Amino acid sequence: MLSKIFLSSDHGGFELKEKVKDYFLKNCIDFEDLGCTSLEPVDYPDYAKILSKKLINVNKSKGIIFCGTGIGISMAANRFPHIRAALCTSVEMASKSRKHNDANVLALGGRILEDKLALEIVNEFLNTDFEAGRHSLRVDKI
Ligand code: RB5
């Protein structure tokens, strides 16, 4: 059972974050937005850090992080040992990131993805379980 979904972005991911928030509100999906709050330029490592700290404290929670490409913020988030952030540009990648890698954070590029595809990726990520088994050994080696 998923306890909470945390969202964070820099300015490059802000607009897509807002679209995901609208979708969550319409579908009664519980989330917490950790910023940023506008298109004013900010630094994506700061928002990766804010989200990563939340995931230590809230059991079984997941995160979705956004920047222009998804690259910078996923690099920054993956510096934290408890984070397995997956930068996904397809539904298939989102599916495998959960089934095989037990990703706890989804990274999306706000300047890369069409809204419809982004929402499909989000849905797949949130509704797919880790397959464990042989994948657990590999994840444990990360
Ligand atoms: C900000 O302009 C941009 O560099 C950032 O959002 C992201 O794409 C970095 O990886």
Side-chain angles (χ1 to χ4, degrees), residues 3-129:
S3 68
K4 188 138 200 173
I5 304 164
F6 293 100
L7 308 178
S8 79
S9 76
D10 77 352
H11 55 290
F14 174 73
E15 288 172 306
L16 182 56
K17 175 162 65 70
E18 295 304 297
K19 303 243 167 69
V20 171
K21 280 167 59 180
D22 286 347
Y23 176 77
F24 283 174
L25 286 169
K26 276 182 199 135
N27 289 280
C28 302
I29 297 170
D30 190 26
F31 69 90
E32 184 176 335
D33 182 5
L34 305 172
C36 65
T37 56
S38 75
L39 291 171
E40 189 70 26
V42 292
D43 298 332
Y44 57 78
D46 297 336
Y47 287 89
K49 187 174 183 177
I50 290 167
L51 182 130
S52 299
K53 280 187 170 175
K54 282 283 184 181
L55 290 205
I56 291 181
N57 298 327
V58 186
N59 195 27
K60 291 191 180 170
S61 54
K62 285 198 172 60
I64 308 179
I65 51 179
F66 309 77
C67 68
T69 58
I71 295 172
I73 201 161
S74 60
M75 285 180 168
N78 276 320
R79 301 305 298 257
F80 295 89
H82 63 291
I83 299 297
R84 288 179 303 282
L87 172 56
C88 296
T89 56
S90 71
V91 172
E92 174 74 7
M93 289 173 77
S95 171
K96 289 296 193 298
S97 80
R98 290 289 309 127
K99 286 181 179 168
H100 291 189
N101 312 112
D102 199 17
N104 55 357
V105 174
L106 171 66
L108 298 175
R111 296 174 180 158
I112 301 292
L113 293 170
E114 297 293 333
D115 296 346
K116 181 173 175 288
L117 176 58
L119 293 177
E120 287 169 3
I121 290 171
V122 166
N123 258 315
E124 187 72 16
F125 182 81
L126 296 178
N127 293 304
T128 305
D129 291 328

